[in-house]
Structures are given as C-alpha cells and as structure tokens.
Amino acid sequence: MNWIDEIARWYLVSLAAGLAAAPLSAWLFRRLPGFGAFFARPIGLLAIIWPLWFLASISPIPYSNLTIIITALLVAGLCWGWAYRAHVISKDWIRPYAAAEATWIVAFLAYIWFRGYIPKIAATEKPMDSAFLSSTMRTTDMPPADPWYAGETINYYYLGYLYNGTIGRIAGLDSWVVFNLALANVFALTVTTSAGLAWGVIRRQFSRNLALFAGCAAPFLLVIAGNMRAPIEFLRDRDYVWNTFWYTNVGWQSSRVIVDPESYAPKGETINEFPNFSFVLGDLHPHLTTLPFTVVVLALAVSLFFRIRDTEWNPFEWRHWAEFVAIGVVLGALYPMNSWDFPTYGVAIAVALAFSTGLNRVWLMQMVGIGIVAILAWVPFWITFVPFAGGDVQNPTSIPGLSFIQKNVAAYTGERTSAGEYLTVFGIFWAISMVWLIVETVATWPKPDPEQPNLTPPWVRGTVIAALIAAAMIAMALSAPVLILAGIPILLAGRLISRAWGQEADLPTLIAVLFLAGWFITIGTEFFYIRDVFNSRFNTLFKIYYQVWTIVAIASALALAHLFWRAAQVEIKVRQRAGALAIGVAAVVLLGIAYPVISIKTYFDYLNPQGGWHGLDGLAPHGIEAYVPDPSQPEVRTGKSEADVAAIHWLNENAKPDDVLLEAPGCGYTINGELPTSRFSAFTGIPTIIGWDNSENQWRGGQAELLDQVIPRGSDVAAMFEDPNPATNPLFDQYGVTLLVVGDLEKYGVAERCDKAGPFPSVFVDGYPGEGWTLVYEADGDRIYRRNGT
C-alpha cells in the first residue's frame, strides 16, 4: 500500500464521519456563521464513537469494525432524517462546508508533507503513544487492554487514541501508518476548528475580509507560532541557533523556559510546551489529541455567550434541554481525553451561560443539567479510571472535586516565575492583549460633558495608562511579577466586563472575558500545583499553560481583527493607524514564525540529514539498516533490526484477539531514537507482561496493589524465559501467555542500562523453548512460538 492510498483511505473515512453528523453540528453552532461546518469532523467522530463506546463499556456488544459501521449508518440516518424534516441544512450550508473542507485538506496535506520527512516512531514517549494507539485499534472491549501490563486495562486518557485509531481500523491501515496520519489529523482539525471559530465570531458583525483575517490569525497563533525563546536566542547567537543539535537548541529548550528550584522540579526544569512544539516533536499525547476538541467546546461556549436571553425557558420540556444534553456529552468527552481540560472548559461553559442567562435559578438548573450529562455520558470511564494521585478508590468521588482538591492540591512556595520567563512564554499574546485593552479602555472611557463637570477629566486617562505601563516595568523587579503582569490585563478586562454585564453580549466583552480567563489561570500556578508523581509544578505548568495558550491565542486573533476595525472607524489619520497596526501584525508574524522555522530545520538536520521524503510508515526506518554487530562488542544492540521489524509485521497480521506476549521488559527512553524496549507490544498493541516500568509507575499511582506488582513482573518475565515450560512454570497460566518471542533484545540485551531488557542466555539452548510450544515464525534469527492449545 503506497502513501497516496493510505491518505485517500484516511480522508474518505474521516470525511464520512464528519458528514454523518453534519446536521447535528449545524444545529449546535447555529448562532455562529458557517452552520457548524468547521466543527463537523470532531462532532461527527464523537457522535459515532460515543454511543458504541458506551454500549461496549456496559454490555457484551463489541467495539468492532462492523458495529462501528452500523453505528455510523444509524447516526447518519437519524441526523439527516431529522435535517430533512427540520430544514436545518440549506444551500447556504454548502459554501462554508466547502471552505472548511478545503481548510482541513490544506492543513492535513501540509503536515503530511512535513511528517513524511521524519516518519519514524522513535524517541521520547512515542513508543508509549504507539502502544496505546495500537491497543485501541485491536480492542473490542472498553476500556482497551493495557499493552504494557497484561491482564489490566488502560488507566490513562485513551479517548484521543481511540478516535484516531477508529479511523485507522476502518480505513484498514497499520498502526505505524495511523500514528503519522493521526498527528496530521489532529493538526488539521485544530487549524480548521480554530479558523472556523475566529471567522464565525468576526463574521457575525464585520466584513468578510476582516473575518478571513481572523480565520487565518487564529490557527497561526494557536498552532504555528512559537514562544519568544527562538527569536531571543537567534538575536543572541544566530550561527549557534541555526546549526546546533535540536535537543540542546531552542527546538527542545523552548519548552523548558521556566526554571524552578531543583527541590521542586527534576533538574530544575518545568514543562512549558505549546502546540507547535508538540506537532514538531510528534508525540501523540492526550494534551495534543484533545486540542481540537477544546476549541470545539470553546466554540460551544461562544455560541452560548451570544445566545439571546430566553425568558420562557421551560425545564419540563425536553426540546428545551436538547442543546444542553448535547453540550454535556461534548464537554464530558474532555475528561477521558485529558482530564485537566474538563474543569477549565466546564467553567468556560458556565461563564458563557451566565452572560446569556444571568446568574439565576435558570442558570443553575442548566449548569447542573450539563454537569450531570457530562458525567453520566462518560460514567464508564469515570468509574474505571483511577487518577494517578487521587487515591485507590474507584468511584466518581475520586474524580476532581472536594476530596481530590484536599488530597492533591499543594501550595507552591518556591521561587516564582520571573517576568522574563513569563514574557518569553506568553510575550506575543500579552503584548496583543495589552494593546487591545488599552485601546478599548480609552475608547470606552466616559467622555467629558460640560453639563456634568464632575466627570473624569481627559488627562486622567493618560495618567492611568502611564501608571499601568510603569507598573508593568516595576513587575520586572518583584519577587512575584506575574501578579502584576497578569493583574494589569485582568483589571482592564474586568472593567470592560463589568460595564457590559446585564447587556446583550458583544465582541469586545467576549475578548475581554477570554483574556481575563487566560491571565487569571496563570496566577494560580504561581501559588498552587497538583501533587502528582512529580510533586512539583513540573506537570501543572505544562497542562495549565497549554490551556492558557489556546485561550489567549483565540482571544488575540479576535483582538487583532477588532483593532483593525477600530482603526478604520477613526476618521483622522486612518491610514497611519492602520499602517502602524499592520507593522505590529508583521512583527507578530516574524516573532511567531521564528520557532517553527528554526525548529523544523534543526529537527530535519537531526533526523533526516540526507534529506528525502520517506512516506508515512513509522516502522520502516527502524529496519532499513540491518544491524551489523561491532566485532569487539557482538553482544551490543542499538535498536536497528530488520528482523524485529519483520516479526512485528507478522505478529500484527497473525496474532489472535486474546493473545498475551512474552517479550523482554522495558525501561523508559531506552534505545531512545530506534526500536525501543517493549517494541513488539508497542507497535502491535498485543499485551505483554510488563512494558516500560517507569510509565506504569505513573499510570498506577492511585492503584497501590497494581503499583506494587510493577517491579516483580519484570522478575517474573526473566523467570519465564529461564523456565519456558508451561507445565512446570505456573507464571504462564497466571499471566495467560500465548506467544513467546525471541528477537534481538531477548538474545543480546541493550547497550544502555536496562538489565531487565535482556539478554536471556537460555534462548540459545538447543531445542528452546521445548515442550508446550510450536514454532510459528522464523526469519533472520527472530523466532515466535505459540503455546500449544491456544
């Protein structure tokens, strides 16, 4: 199968998913221009996956290719049947849908072009992502089996892997191709949804050209632009930045801007990842796969924000609840995708609803209804998932709530984020927000009235603005400068919001709310963190700053469009004002584009120094150079193994649904950059006894009994390789092992320190593994055995 066929299969399946529930998307986003076209794909995926996922979680109904297709046909029939009767879709829907489709295709192919130069699934935590993705593509049960902890299910946020894996399995693709297509899909979905949101908000009130500008600015700021680390370092030492190894250069270091004391963070580092970094690195993590869905929920909040107040809402009529039920299902999906996003965007829904309804009994009833649906719709996940730091009680009370806060929220007393660090991360957005807020403050300041001499005189406005600028400069010397840097825009935005409270919602109020929310969240990370396995701000800054980036990027795109509108309204010096604003936008583009340009160049230098486009097969590069042992160290392996790659292909095609694989255990980041430890389970999703123990230690943090078994399982694997006779070794029955593999690691171990990953000398004994096994595969020294009777 060539890459054109792979792309075509993925495109057709994802297109069908979006079309299946397009009427539902059009109805949900009916208050925004575009008829929901820009959100059709993610809404369609949820509409198809959720009902079958729920049934597979609580009943014997399997999550199989057949049931997925049947569910898709049922969803399409219901949605389009209702659309025909209700006249939801009209000819005016075709144009925005075509625009949305074109946007998705361009973004998808652009990322495919980029990823095709570096398709290898290797390094960092890609093997973990591959393992989860492969498991969701094999599973018929929910939750899917944990590929690195045989006998248990995944205790992680797996819905992001599932929606991409579902497209891949229906398209008939291998997981190592789906991995790269999934990254492209997430990128394209994020570009499309963010463009659609910004375009729709501006188009409600302003011209097509201004809306088009906002629709381009939002995805640029959200997924293309980087932080300020790259342009700053480039100005300091251009040659070094342009030619130095990606991991020691701004490519990696741009995600490690904020440094805490080593007593609070490993090596003093925290994670300050942002979307473009994620897409360049290519780890298919939950925070990335959830990104387009956070934009969808934000769009739902904006739709509610602009809702005309309904004074005749009847809680006893189902049709009045339909929208809130649908919103609850979409909002609830964030928890099994990435639990950190659920409360943040839940608050966004609550705030938006407060503006359109008011803080009253109706608002409370609607929010309670949305909250109940959000939990009940995904309750199988809530019941089975055990938070890593939330105790070992498997019930909804261990999910974020009072008990969770009491157990897991800790006070941060270390060194605060410096002004330089804060502005390096958010400088572009902070500058845009300050310019917009100052302009809006001046524009809305009460004008002097001769009949009311007590009104504030004009000179006060200039004094206030000067004081704000001075306060921002003073913040550079304070021990907690974020209080000032975030506090200034919060106060300015708060004033605008207070003036608009109780009135019909408008664009300036929406922008102010978004800026206030984003900057307010950052203050919280200066004083509190989630007490997880890292017991520091290490992970808290990561997840919270990712949310802030999304919120303020959308706000900044809207603010820039609104600034252009304001500039056009001033009769005097229109051209000069517009010109100055255009120069500012050009500066934003230059500063934002510095990171992706430098990062992609140095990443290609590292992973593809010879150049050339390699396609989408993330497994093939691991076998293109068959390993030739060093004569002085014949026992050392470096992760290049054509034989192991071929064996992975055979396992993927021939393994049975209930197989359990015996392979060498793994250590995180071992052979970082080539075939990793636990490679057979990572690429096929077939459960093995124990995979990366450091990862399992994190995922089982709230399950004391399972956590205690992580290390013993590694010893059990060694015992099973030493005595492979199922008749005399009860461990084979205990773990249900059906397949035994003998590859490079089992024979030779690894060059890096990971003793548990082999070697196992017994595999060289003549006749190994002996009675109870049948050789089912042998090629180039790799052997796979099936246990008799399985």
Side-chain angles (χ1 to χ4, degrees), residues 140 219 296 312 321 350 404 423 482 484 617 634 648 662 696:
T140 57
V296 168
E312 298 182 358
W321 278 106
F404 180 83
L423 293 178
V482 172
I484 301 297
D617 189 336
I648 290 170
L662 179 64
E696 288 292 347

Side-chain angles (χ1 to χ4, degrees), residues 30 155 231 243 287 458 514 525 581 598 624 687 734 760 764 772:
R30 61 192 179 278
N155 192 61
N243 297 298
H287 65 270
L514 291 173
T525 61
L581 187 54
I598 296 170
I624 55 176
Q734 176 180 329
F760 304 111
F764 291 102

